[in-house]
Amino acid sequence: MFRVKLLHCFLWDYFSSLPGWDSASSSIHHHISKNLFSLKDAFRAMPLQLFLQVVGSTQKADDIMKKYKQVMRLSELPSEEYKLLMDTRVIGILSMLINILRRLKLIQMVSDRLRRDKIEKYANLTHAMELKPYIEEPVFVAAKFDVTSLDFRPRIRHDFILSNRDAVDEYWLTLEYCYAASDHEAAKQAFPGSVSQEV
């Protein structure tokens, strides 16, 4: 989850640096076409050191770091080195992390139809940033209860508007606070624990 948090914070920073972010943040709309970004472009803009933290440092990555000490971003690597770094293990890790972000409803994939309906310049935009995520607190379990029965007690819900980096940090702090000491079965009945056991 630490890697998921690092990746989400980076993607939010990347997204908020794109042209048009001011209009997106001022309305914090539900219209998905305003929140589009290219995941591939985001990865290429990622600082090499952060990338190594997110995917886990390998010998191959360490060798590249030693060889290219002045390289700051993945896009600055020569094409061959970039392909060498993005091996099947790394792509698998990134896919897993992106999948967790999707289940947490922090990003979503954009349908091919939506991209086709947009003009040519939007063709490579593959994902959308969610700016209004939420977290449900797991119910406190004071006494042992039958885990096979459904729990209909109301859940405390925390809604967020990710209009600045402080709000992103608050989201992750709240998630950690709500789930760090929660009962496993209770966590599986509240969002996002209900869709992401990694939480």
Side-chain angles (χ1 to χ4, degrees):
M1 283 307 293
F2 178 71
R3 292 177 181 189
V4 173
K5 175 184 174 181
L6 283 177
L7 181 56
H8 178 248
C9 291
F10 166 75
L11 290 175
W12 189 90
D13 288 341
Y14 172 81
F15 173 74
S16 65
S17 71
L18 295 174
W21 159 249
D22 292 340
S23 63
S25 64
S26 62
S27 59
I28 306 293
H29 39 66
H30 292 288
H31 202 271
I32 190 173
S33 65
K34 300 285 187 185
N35 300 348
L36 299 178
F37 69 99
S38 166
L39 194 58
K40 182 179 177 183
D41 291 347
F43 282 134
R44 290 192 65 81
M46 184 179 277
L48 186 55
Q49 191 67 40
L50 177 62
F51 179 81
L52 296 178
Q53 285 180 302
V54 168
V55 300
S57 183
T58 64
Q59 184 60 44
K60 199 183 303 182
D62 289 338
D63 292 344
I64 290 173
M65 276 293 287
K66 288 174 190 167
K67 189 173 177 183
Y68 297 99
K69 290 182 181 176
Q70 301 303 319
V71 170
M72 298 301 288
R73 302 192 180 281
L74 290 181
S75 60
E76 296 172 10
L77 282 174
S79 176
E80 287 74 27
E81 297 286 7
Y82 180 79
K83 287 177 186 172
L84 188 66
L85 189 61
M86 290 294 239
D87 61 13
T88 52
R89 187 193 77 83
V90 167
I91 290 172
I93 290 170
L94 291 175
S95 296
M96 178 192 65
L97 298 176
I98 291 297
N99 185 35
I100 294 171
L101 286 174
R102 285 181 53 231
R103 284 185 278 132
L104 295 176
K105 296 186 180 176
L106 293 172
I107 65 170
Q108 57 183 303
M109 290 183 72
V110 179
S111 70
D112 289 336
R113 182 178 163 275
L114 178 65
R115 285 187 282 150
R116 275 197 309 269
D117 291 347
K118 296 293 166 192
I119 58 176
E120 187 69 23
K121 71 176 184 174
Y122 294 115
N124 71 332
L125 304 181
T126 57
H127 289 75
M129 184 66 61
E130 177 56 60
L131 299 177
K132 286 184 163 183
Y134 70 93
I135 295 169
E136 291 176 341
E137 283 188 29
V139 174
F140 174 70
V141 182
K144 193 165 180 139
F145 65 97
D146 182 7
V147 295
T148 59
S149 64
L150 294 174
D151 186 350
F152 294 107
R153 289 179 286 183
R155 312 224 180 288
I156 297 172
R157 178 173 156 151
H158 301 271
D159 290 283
F160 299 87
I161 297 177
L162 304 184
S163 58
N164 57 52
R165 182 54 190 271
D166 288 342
V168 175
D169 293 338
E170 183 183 342
Y171 169 88
W172 284 101
L173 284 172
T174 304
L175 182 65
E176 184 177 353
Y177 176 79
C178 291
Y179 282 82
S182 67
D183 175 78
H184 182 68
E185 291 303 321
K188 288 189 340 189
Q189 295 184 33
F191 182 85
S194 58
V195 297
S196 181
Q197 299 226 355
E198 295 87 352
V199 172

